[in-house]
Amino acid sequence: MKKSNLFPILTAAAIFLFCLTACSSGSTPVPTPANLTPQEYLGYDLFNLHCAPCHAIAPGTTIVGPSLDGIAKTSATRVEGQNAITYLQQSMLNPNEYVVQGFPESMPPDFGKRLTGEEFDAIIAYLLTLQ
């Protein structure tokens, strides 16, 4: 393989490994909140699996994406005419339409479509507990 053909492949591999490392190695599980419904607890587990590697719930903490501390309240005011549930749903289904200022478009565009309907609803239910 020529050197010129190898460079783009190595560059892409390096970027992929950086993103994979940034979104998986340093995360710690979100503390278990008390008094969750079964659906919210499922959402909590799914959040730890899919979201916590890039999103903290501690105030002012940035991993890759913005902290989701207080997202239940904040999401209700992000887009005029949308309530918190609609905003969260749209943010997961079309994440690049609602990029928080100062953050890159790094959430997978098909993230919400990778989940079952039950999983999608459970993550939304859990996020709504983050007052």
Side-chain angles (χ1 to χ4, degrees):
M1 191 178 276
K2 291 182 180 178
K3 184 178 180 181
S4 62
N5 291 338
L6 187 58
F7 182 74
I9 295 169
L10 291 175
T11 302
I15 291 170
F16 173 77
L17 289 174
F18 171 77
C19 291
L20 185 64
T21 301
C23 289
S24 63
S25 63
S27 66
T28 55
V30 175
T32 306
N35 304 319
L36 292 180
T37 67
Q39 182 187 37
E40 293 165 348
Y41 195 81
L42 173 61
Y44 160 81
D45 284 341
L46 292 165
F47 181 89
N48 278 310
L49 180 64
H50 297 291
C51 310
C54 293
H55 292 282
I57 62 166
T61 302
T62 301
I63 300 170
V64 175
S67 170
L68 298 181
D69 174 57
I71 192 67
K73 291 180 182 177
T74 305
S75 60
T77 62
R78 292 271 298 148
V79 176
E80 188 174 333
Q82 284 187 353
N83 62 22
I85 294 171
T86 302
Y87 175 79
L88 292 170
Q89 290 170 336
Q90 291 302 310
S91 293
M92 287 173 57
L93 292 172
N94 302 303
N96 293 329
E97 289 187 34
Y98 300 111
V99 177
V100 174
Q101 188 173 4
F103 290 91
E105 292 181 8
S106 57
M107 192 162 156
D110 65 341
F111 173 74
K113 297 172 183 105
R114 295 178 187 181
L115 304 169
T116 66
E118 179 185 10
E119 292 170 333
F120 185 88
D121 291 344
I123 291 176
I124 298 292
Y126 173 69
L127 291 174
L128 291 172
T129 69
L130 302 178
Q131 301 289 326

